[in-house]
Amino acid sequence: MSGLSQEVRSATPINPSIPSLADVVPSFRLDGHVTIITGAAGGLAHTLSQALVAQGSQLALMDLSHESLENTRRDLIHFQKQNNLPEVAISIWACDISNADEVEEVVRAIPGEHNGIIPQKLVHTAGFCQNINAHEYDAAKAQKLVNVNLLGSLYICQSMARQLLARRTRRKSISTDVNESGEVLPHFPEASFVLIGSMSGLIVNTPQPQCAYNMSKAGVIHLVKSLAAEWAKYGIRVNAISPGYIATALTKQVISQSPEGAALQKEWTNRIPVGRMAEPKEFVGSMLYLLSRSASSYTTGENMVVDGGYVCW
């Protein structure tokens, strides 16, 4: 015990220095970075994109429709002007996230539109849901959903990691971060991939049937843990945000157009402890925390559930 006590005492300096503010309070600025946002034309992604440009990040917006992306970029430029924000570069990329070759091609091309900056930040929102009874689920529909929601998550992370590792500089170092052959491992402490999971990866939603969506999001959550464990040696952090029900503009429109929609909303909110659906802006803080090196450098493989307490019951 005496030896252990000595070790504990020696871990604390007798005369501790006063740290600088930057050593204590994290920064959420993303100046000089390019963030890839998939599903960028969606309602949640739109709000997250606004927060990212406000923090100085350049954006590479990916979605299926070039026209929708043009509208999103135009809105973001207007947002910057209205709020007197410094302009940042915003590129748009039509891409099918379930096509690995397309994803690879786009990720490789992005630095060319951003002064050669390789993206190290990812906010992956691409995905969709279908409400179909399990015994009636068409195989082709289920496969397409899994290809987009789950395999698309793998493809975008793979392509970004490959681009980082391909540009590494091999050098001799006294670093202890080496592989079995003694080669120094590349390290990317700014790299942070944030995937949008869902509470549906943890619970079974009711009353709507959505087994394929649920299993795809459960897969995303475990993919995050798998990639985080494998890539930690490179400094690449991978985390998930799992939302509950979100009141995007589209969702509000859908549930307000019929008695069935209103009944569905009532059923959902009755099961949420805070008694309401989320607003898209309520996910900004979680995203910025996970993207920020100074705020979350020790956080990887985490599934951050932001659901108003739904999974508590």
Side-chain angles (χ1 to χ4, degrees):
M1 287 297 292
S2 60
L4 178 60
S5 299
Q6 180 62 36
E7 289 180 11
V8 171
R9 285 197 299 272
S10 65
T12 304
I14 298 174
N15 297 309
S17 60
I18 303 300
S20 68
L21 192 62
D23 288 332
V24 177
V25 180
S27 169
F28 300 98
R29 295 295 306 176
L30 296 168
D31 304 278
H33 283 286
V34 176
T35 302
I36 294 178
I37 305 178
T38 69
L44 175 60
H46 189 275
T47 298
L48 299 180
S49 297
Q50 291 174 330
L52 289 167
V53 298
Q55 293 298 322
S57 179
Q58 299 180 43
L59 302 182
L61 308 178
M62 294 173 60
D63 212 316
L64 280 170
S65 167
H66 191 276
E67 181 180 358
S68 296
L69 288 170
E70 282 283 14
N71 292 335
T72 300
R73 177 164 62 178
R74 185 165 50 248
D75 289 345
L76 288 170
I77 292 172
H78 183 64
F79 172 79
Q80 291 177 89
K81 291 179 178 178
Q82 285 292 102
N83 289 280
N84 297 313
L85 297 172
E87 288 190 22
V88 296
I90 302 173
S91 62
I92 58 175
W93 308 87
C95 178
D96 178 358
I97 200 71
S98 69
N99 185 315
D101 292 335
E102 280 190 34
V103 173
E104 184 75 11
E105 182 180 356
V106 167
V107 170
R108 286 180 178 273
I110 286 172
E113 297 295 319
H114 293 271
N115 295 318
I117 300 173
I118 297 175
Q120 296 193 60
K121 309 291 186 184
L122 168 67
V123 179
H124 175 57
T125 78
F128 69 99
C129 184
Q130 293 174 323
N131 299 146
I132 303 173
N133 291 320
H135 67 285
E136 298 172 331
Y137 220 125
D138 177 76
K141 287 184 177 180
Q143 183 173 353
K144 177 62 177 178
L145 184 146
V146 172
N147 286 348
V148 170
N149 291 9
L150 180 53
L151 290 178
S153 301
L154 173 63
Y155 298 155
I156 186 64
C157 291
Q158 282 180 315
S159 292
M160 290 184 66
R162 273 196 290 259
Q163 183 167 220
L164 286 170
L165 294 171
R167 299 290 184 91
R168 71 185 188 266
T169 301
R170 296 189 179 187
R171 58 181 175 79
K172 292 183 178 180
S173 171
I174 61 172
S175 169
T176 56
D177 295 326
V178 297
N179 62 17
E180 292 179 355
S181 64
E183 181 186 19
V184 176
L185 295 174
H187 199 64
F188 307 98
E190 292 289 349
S192 178
F193 302 169
V194 179
L195 281 60
I196 300 301
S198 172
M199 67 175 184
S200 303
L202 303 170
I203 53 93
V204 177
N205 303 69
T206 186
Q208 72 276 21
Q210 52 183 60
C211 65
Y213 179 80
N214 293 355
M215 73 179 188
S216 73
K217 289 301 185 178
V220 168
I221 293 168
H222 208 60
L223 171 67
V224 161
K225 295 179 182 296
S226 300
L227 296 180
E230 186 172 338
W231 292 345
K233 62 187 177 184
Y234 301 126
I236 300 172
R237 296 185 297 107
V238 188
N239 292 286
I241 299 173
S242 282
Y245 294 113
I246 309 173
T248 62
L250 179 60
T251 301
K252 289 178 181 178
Q253 180 181 352
V254 170
I255 61 181
S256 66
Q257 287 182 337
S258 68
E260 292 80 12
L264 192 60
Q265 181 188 21
K266 183 177 180 181
E267 179 74 17
W268 290 346
T269 54
N270 282 343
R271 294 175 179 272
I272 303 171
V274 301
R276 62 175 178 82
M277 297 170 67
E279 295 293 331
K281 67 181 181 181
E282 292 179 294
F283 300 90
V284 168
S286 304
M287 175 194 69
L288 292 178
Y289 165 73
L290 292 174
L291 290 178
S292 166
R293 176 186 179 184
S294 65
S296 60
S297 58
Y298 203 61
T299 303
T300 195
E302 178 61 32
N303 178 41
M304 187 176 294
V305 181
V306 185
D307 66 347
Y310 191 104
V311 301
C312 294
W313 287 347

